[in-house]
Amino acid sequence: MTSVLSVNPGARPAPAFLDGAPKQLLIGGTWRTAASGDTFDTLDPTTGGVLSRVASAGQADVDAAVAAARRAFEDPSWANITPYQRSRILLQVADVMEANAEELAVLDSLDMGGPLWMTRWLVNHSVEVIRHYAGWPTKFYGQTAPSDSDAFHYTLRQPLGVVGAITAWNGPVLQVAWKLGPALATGNTMVIKPAAWSPLSTLRIGELLGETDLPPGVVNIVTGDGAVTGEALTNHPGVNKISFTGSLGVGKRILEVSSKDLKRVTLELGGKSPTIVFADADLAAAAKGAVAGFAQGSGEGCVAGTRIFVHESVREHFRELLIEEMKAYALGDPFHPDTRMGPLVSDQHFERVSSYLDVARAEGGNLTTVGETRDRYMPPTLVENVGRDARVVREEIFGPVAALMTFTDTADAIAQGNDTDFGLAASVWTTNLETAHRVARGLQAGTIWINTYAEMSAGTMPFGGFKQSGIGREHGTDVLDAYTEVKSVMIRF
Ligand code: NAD
């Protein structure tokens, strides 16, 4: 059985950034307390202890941050630089993040409980993502259009202005990098609002930006509660776009508030992704992928594969492989090298995930939990014998819980895979090329993985959701369109 490795944590890393001083807001290149003086505590989910006090931004602070971003947007030091200079600045951002990668990973592991091997990977990925976007300012073209010989028609791609970037708590550095790279590559300025449960690495990135040639005010950071700070940003008439990563409920609220002045909105929301395993698949590899799909990162991932469909002919064998693989998911201190799963992010979230296990039992589900549930630690759980309308099959749990179900043929696999309000991702396990392509085409999801799970491109592949998993895409060329307006210019000679 999986054991709790070291729930009583040993020595905690002590980054110099956590010097006991309350963390402040970054506005116009200077750090300042909230106008109200209010703060909140960010906690270490491993110990339950306070990591730092953090400024809680209100309306006046958001007003100041948006005004600073607007000034920076119009200032020649940012508006009029060459594509090469913009590119160079983004390379500096990547370099300074890379030079401090270990500290950023440690801050995320302390703040949201993810194992260090995972947060290291996420930070390294984020550096690659920024380097990817550093290449775009010199390669992002408008078009010339056909016209008669007495005219010249062409398009310009221009930045939107001030971007409000609102992020979730589960992958703080990554989510900031995914927004900061394309927003700055296309010449926008930003006000970033990280999640209140894990704001530290974003604030440290704010400090690191001060070591680059990025002009003051191009990136501002306001911390605080979503309903206050986030809402003030979304509601602000000086913000041109909201790029949001978070839950479906808040995504809907952001759309509603943004409709007031028709802000541009990109929504990266949740999922209930299917893992579909055909009888001809490498079942051992599929079991590894399926368990990683819902247990990696304690299931606190938007692409978590929480509905597992296996062909009915191999169900029993595949189930055994799944349970065996779940035993490899050791719970423990995020800084212990053998830890596969850290604690869930907070008591509140632990209660939420636990309540779904009660719901699953009440719905008649058979639950197999491999490991010990204690404090904020939650081992992987497989739920069987639940129908397609069960809440554990339909709702995003955001913890290490998956439902195991069967299918009969390819059409049934596609139909069941699509029987969800969400459409963020899916993984398909088969050795039959035709099956792979047919299912990839038939599934309504933004990313389809074949014989793999959760592979992330460093910017090259579009990422985002069908249906209620979101609106718009990050990465690819789509994201550049999402951070710019196209302008048609028609000249008559
Ligand atoms: P959340 O929606 O509760 O919060 C996300 C952010 O929105 C936080 O910064 C929060 O403070 C802010 N916020 C809350 N209320 C707000 C309001 N009224 N106005 C403006 N901002 C507000 O989500 P969470 O619990 O932090 O994160 C988990 C969710 O994020 C899951 O649903 C997960 O699937 C999703 N997620 C999606 C992706 C993706 O790329 N699709 C990636 C990671 C997480």
Side-chain angles (χ1 to χ4, degrees):
M1 289 286 277
T2 304
S3 61
V4 177
L5 281 175
S6 45
V7 172
N8 297 319
R12 313 303 288 154
F17 183 64
L18 298 180
D19 56 4
K23 296 299 157 203
Q24 299 180 314
L25 311 171
L26 178 60
I27 298 177
T30 57
W31 293 93
R32 51 166 104 161
T33 55
S36 64
D38 289 348
T39 60
F40 64 95
D41 290 337
T42 185
L43 305 181
D44 178 344
T46 308
T47 63
V50 175
L51 287 167
S52 182
R53 269 190 297 144
V54 181
S56 189
Q59 184 68 52
D61 306 301
V62 171
D63 287 348
V66 173
R70 177 64 52 191
R71 277 194 303 277
F73 180 69
E74 289 165 2
D75 195 286
S77 68
W78 182 244
N80 296 350
I81 59 175
T82 67
Y84 299 98
Q85 287 170 315
R86 208 178 295 292
S87 198
R88 212 183 107 257
I89 290 174
L90 275 164
L91 288 172
Q92 290 175 343
V93 173
D95 287 347
V96 81
M97 282 176 65
E98 188 169 52
N100 295 274
E102 183 66 9
E103 183 189 359
L104 292 172
V106 165
L107 286 172
D108 272 356
S109 285
L110 283 170
D111 217 7
M112 49 71 72
L116 188 61
W117 61 263
M118 185 183 86
T119 54
R120 278 179 178 155
W121 185 90
L122 292 170
V123 173
N124 289 336
H125 164 86
S126 301
V127 170
E128 288 176 2
V129 164
I130 301 287
R131 289 216 172 96
H132 168 84
Y133 287 105
W136 271 116
T138 55
K139 299 169 193 72
F140 189 40
Y141 296 92
Q143 292 181 320
T144 55
S147 62
D148 65 73
S149 58
D150 290 327
F152 179 41
H153 294 179
Y154 65 95
T155 65
L156 291 172
R157 279 266 167 209
Q158 295 186 315
L160 296 171
V162 177
V163 172
I166 302 178
T167 54
W169 51 261
N170 65 323
V173 172
L174 173 144
Q175 288 172 34
V176 166
W178 282 27
K179 297 184 191 313
L180 186 141
L184 299 193
T186 47
N188 297 282
T189 58
M190 305 179 81
V191 179
I192 302 175
K193 199 218 80 70
W197 280 347
S198 58
L200 294 175
S201 58
T202 303
L203 291 166
R204 179 65 181 128
I205 288 172
E207 278 189 359
L208 294 173
L209 294 178
E211 297 175 19
T212 71
D213 293 329
L214 197 70
V218 171
V219 174
N220 306 273
I221 303 174
V222 290
T223 41
D225 187 54
V228 177
T229 318
E231 186 100 3
L233 193 56
T234 312
N235 215 0
H236 205 293
V239 173
N240 301 91
K241 174 189 171 89
I242 294 289
S243 176
F244 174 74
T245 300
S247 62
L248 174 59
V250 175
K252 286 181 176 173
R253 173 72 187 152
I254 282 175
L255 257 194
E256 190 186 318
V257 175
S258 299
S259 70
K260 198 180 61 176
D261 54 3
L262 233 57
K263 281 186 181 58
R264 289 3 181 193
V265 175
T266 301
L267 301 177
E268 291 288 351
L269 309 178
K272 198 75 197 173
S273 298
T275 297
I276 299 175
V277 181
F278 283 85
D280 60 30
D282 174 342
L283 293 182
K288 264 191 189 313
V291 176
F294 78 90
Q296 192 120 291
S298 298
E300 296 172 321
C302 53
V303 294
T306 49
R307 295 181 302 137
I308 304 173
F309 299 98
V310 61
H311 190 266
E312 57 186 3
S313 65
V314 291
R315 182 191 185 284
E316 284 317 309
H317 179 43
F318 186 66
R319 181 186 183 281
E320 283 165 21
L321 293 172
L322 281 180
I323 303 291
E324 205 49 43
E325 179 63 19
M326 283 159 68
K327 292 178 187 166
Y329 276 68
L331 288 110
D333 186 317
F335 296 97
H336 191 294
D338 295 337
T339 292
R340 295 289 290 274
M341 302 167 82
L344 297 189
V345 68
S346 67
D347 288 329
Q348 195 184 329
H349 190 57
F350 179 82
E351 291 308 322
R352 181 178 183 277
V353 177
S354 302
S355 74
Y356 271 102
L357 300 182
D358 297 334
V359 167
R361 283 187 204 98
E363 287 175 322
N366 296 334
L367 276 61
T368 307
T369 298
V370 180
E372 196 182 339
T373 303
R374 188 140 51 105
D375 301 329
R376 288 167 289 277
Y377 285 87
M378 180 160 292
T381 295
L382 201 61
V383 182
E384 295 165 270
N385 192 40
V386 277
R388 58 208 295 170
D389 292 327
R391 282 183 59 201
V392 285
V393 174
R394 304 213 73 86
E395 297 175 17
E396 185 185 46
I397 299 173
F398 225 53
V401 184
L404 177 63
M405 294 164 284
T406 57
F407 66 90
T408 51
D409 57 22
T410 305
D412 185 37
I414 294 171
Q416 291 200 63
N418 287 338
D419 186 15
T420 169
D421 292 336
F422 294 104
L424 191 57
S427 85
V428 183
W429 299 80
T430 177
T431 49
N432 183 315
L433 201 57
E434 181 181 327
T435 305
H437 284 298
R438 281 192 191 285
V439 179
R441 190 181 291 260
L443 288 174
Q444 296 157 352
T447 296
I448 311 289
W449 288 294
I450 309 286
N451 296 329
T452 182
Y453 204 86
E455 272 190 40
M456 291 289 166
S457 83
T460 53
M461 296 286 282
F463 181 87
F466 278 41
K467 302 195 280 189
Q468 294 193 39
S469 283
I471 295 178
R473 292 291 180 272
E474 296 194 297
H475 296 335
T477 50
D478 305 63
V479 76
L480 304 172
D481 295 344
Y483 280 99
T484 53
E485 293 283 9
V486 64
K487 182 182 283 174
S488 294
V489 182
M490 290 176 259
I491 306 175
R492 180 114 331 250
F493 300 148

